[in-house]
Amino acid sequence: MSHSISAFQAAYIGIEVLIALVSVPGNVLVIWAVKVNQALRDATFCFIVSLAVADVAVGALVIPLAILINIGPQTYFYTCLMVACPVLILTQSSILALLAIAVDRYLRVKIPLRYKTVVTPRRAAVAIAGCWILSLVVGLTPMFGWNNLSQVEMAWAANGSAGEPVIKCEFEKVISMEYMVYFNFFVWVLPPLLLMVLIYLEVFYLIRKQLNKKVSASSGDPQKYYGKELKIAKSLALILFLFALSWLPLHILNCITLFCPTCRTPTILTYIAIFLTHGNSAMNPIVYAFRIQKFRVTFLKIWNDHFRCQPEPPSDEDPPEEKVDD
């Protein structure tokens, strides 16, 4: 059956496509930068790559599926459910990657001398794998039964229909709001976000404590180390702030839907909340480019080496280590 697309839907699709066209190349560039620059190979940047992979998938997979849901095709229940679940998996992966980054920065300032023996590449890889496995379990929970199938079947039978229900594919029609609020938000989104806030507050406290110590002739290196850590922590805390700013409005709207069934949420607010969640996947590469000089220099090198007609002449000087703009 053909679906006519309204002007509003066309505008929605146009904005979603624009977000995808920024998100996918930007995050591919992040992954590429870590691959070509040996200085971007520590644990933090490995977790950033995991976050970038999730953001690439948002642009390449979730946004096309969101456009499909917006058009509202007629599908079987579990087909629609499979279309709705990827965004849950990728959101959870992003949250756990951000949590891993926060813990990593905490360890760097709490145990700087033992950090490299505690946070090894093998342990970082295990942590990343664990984050993705846990994300799959949380995101696929609706496929295991916590969904709206019983309500859909009751409505299907009430209409005198038989067989597997065929529905207009919509997120709220297949995903239980109890799952979204009580399990997804109250267990797997809000507590990790609050924990990350506490971790970064502790990181800033520890760094300030070290920087406020009297500077002696022999303490130049520690001062430089903690100054660098402060700048990196500010940039990563900004990434966390943008994530919370992008995702909390949609979860708040979900809470309103569950706890106030008679409340009418303006459609435009829902669309703005959706744009924020998808747009977050395009924000991180911009933050890296403006705030972390290692990324900025590597981005420019990739551009000059692969996308300009004439490569930039090689420089004899290496970029300053992990410099971040204030």
Side-chain angles (χ1 to χ4, degrees):
M1 180 186 293
S2 62
H3 294 269
S4 60
I5 297 177
S6 66
F8 186 83
Q9 282 180 315
Y12 166 80
I13 292 170
I15 294 171
E16 288 282 37
V17 169
L18 182 63
I19 292 171
L21 290 176
V22 175
S23 174
V24 174
N27 285 286
V28 167
L29 193 59
V30 170
I31 298 166
W32 194 350
V34 174
K35 184 178 185 299
V36 301
N37 189 345
Q38 290 285 345
L40 295 173
R41 296 289 181 84
D42 67 16
T44 297
F45 295 109
C46 291
F47 295 130
I48 285 176
V49 165
S50 180
L51 184 60
V53 168
D55 287 338
V56 168
V58 168
L61 178 64
V62 169
I63 287 178
L65 293 178
I67 291 172
L68 182 66
I69 286 180
N70 182 260
I71 295 172
Q74 297 288 325
T75 68
Y76 290 115
F77 181 88
Y78 275 102
T79 302
C80 184
L81 194 59
M82 283 189 288
V83 169
C85 281
V87 68
L88 303 173
I89 297 168
L90 296 171
T91 305
Q92 195 57 51
S93 174
S94 296
I95 291 170
L96 295 177
L98 289 168
L99 181 58
I101 290 169
V103 172
D104 177 70
R105 301 322 289 187
Y106 172 76
L107 293 175
R108 285 183 72 95
V109 299
K110 183 68 174 178
I111 52 169
L113 299 179
R114 293 193 297 120
Y115 170 79
K116 288 190 176 180
T117 60
V118 172
V119 184
T120 62
R122 179 183 176 84
R123 287 175 179 169
V126 169
I128 291 170
C131 288
W132 278 98
I133 292 170
L134 187 54
S135 300
L136 284 168
V137 172
V138 173
L140 291 177
T141 296
M143 295 292 296
F144 304 144
W146 198 346
N147 54 50
N148 289 336
L149 180 59
S150 58
Q151 295 95 309
V152 169
E153 285 179 333
M154 285 174 62
W156 183 254
N159 289 333
S161 304
E164 186 178 351
V166 175
I167 60 171
K168 182 181 179 183
C169 187
E170 295 173 346
F171 187 86
E172 290 184 19
K173 191 166 285 186
V174 294
I175 299 292
S176 164
M177 273 299 121
E178 285 82 3
Y179 162 83
M180 287 301 301
V181 173
Y182 292 126
F183 186 69
N184 189 276
F185 183 47
F186 286 168
V187 176
W188 292 105
V189 174
L190 195 57
L193 286 178
L194 293 175
L195 179 58
M196 283 184 266
V197 170
L198 293 176
I199 290 173
Y200 276 112
L201 288 175
E202 181 67 10
V203 166
F204 290 132
Y205 169 76
L206 290 171
I207 293 173
R208 291 294 185 188
K209 185 178 176 182
Q210 292 295 328
L211 291 176
N212 287 337
K213 289 183 177 179
K214 282 190 175 181
V215 181
S216 63
S218 62
S219 65
D221 286 342
Q223 289 286 320
K224 180 180 177 182
Y225 175 84
Y226 285 105
K228 179 186 70 177
E229 286 299 319
L230 177 62
K231 292 176 180 179
I232 291 284
K234 283 180 179 178
S235 298
L236 297 173
L238 175 60
I239 296 290
L240 172 61
F241 172 76
L242 291 174
F243 184 90
L245 191 68
S246 300
W247 279 96
L248 285 178
L250 187 60
H251 282 289
I252 291 170
L253 290 179
N254 287 339
C255 290
I256 293 172
T257 300
L258 179 64
F259 297 129
C260 184
T262 58
C263 297
R264 301 286 295 177
T265 304
T267 304
I268 189 66
L269 284 183
T270 302
Y271 276 101
I272 290 172
I274 291 171
F275 287 142
L276 281 173
T277 62
H278 295 167
N280 180 252
S281 65
M283 295 176 189
N284 294 348
I286 298 171
V287 173
Y288 302 147
F290 280 96
R291 297 280 305 176
I292 302 179
Q293 187 176 9
K294 275 187 176 182
F295 268 119
R296 182 166 61 249
V297 169
T298 310
F299 289 165
L300 289 173
K301 184 179 186 310
I302 291 171
W303 172 260
N304 290 326
D305 288 351
H306 297 277
F307 299 102
R308 285 184 63 179
C309 295
Q310 217 171 13
E312 194 176 66
S315 172
D316 293 334
E317 295 184 7
D318 294 327
E321 187 175 355
E322 286 190 22
K323 185 176 177 182
V324 182
D325 299 334
D326 288 320

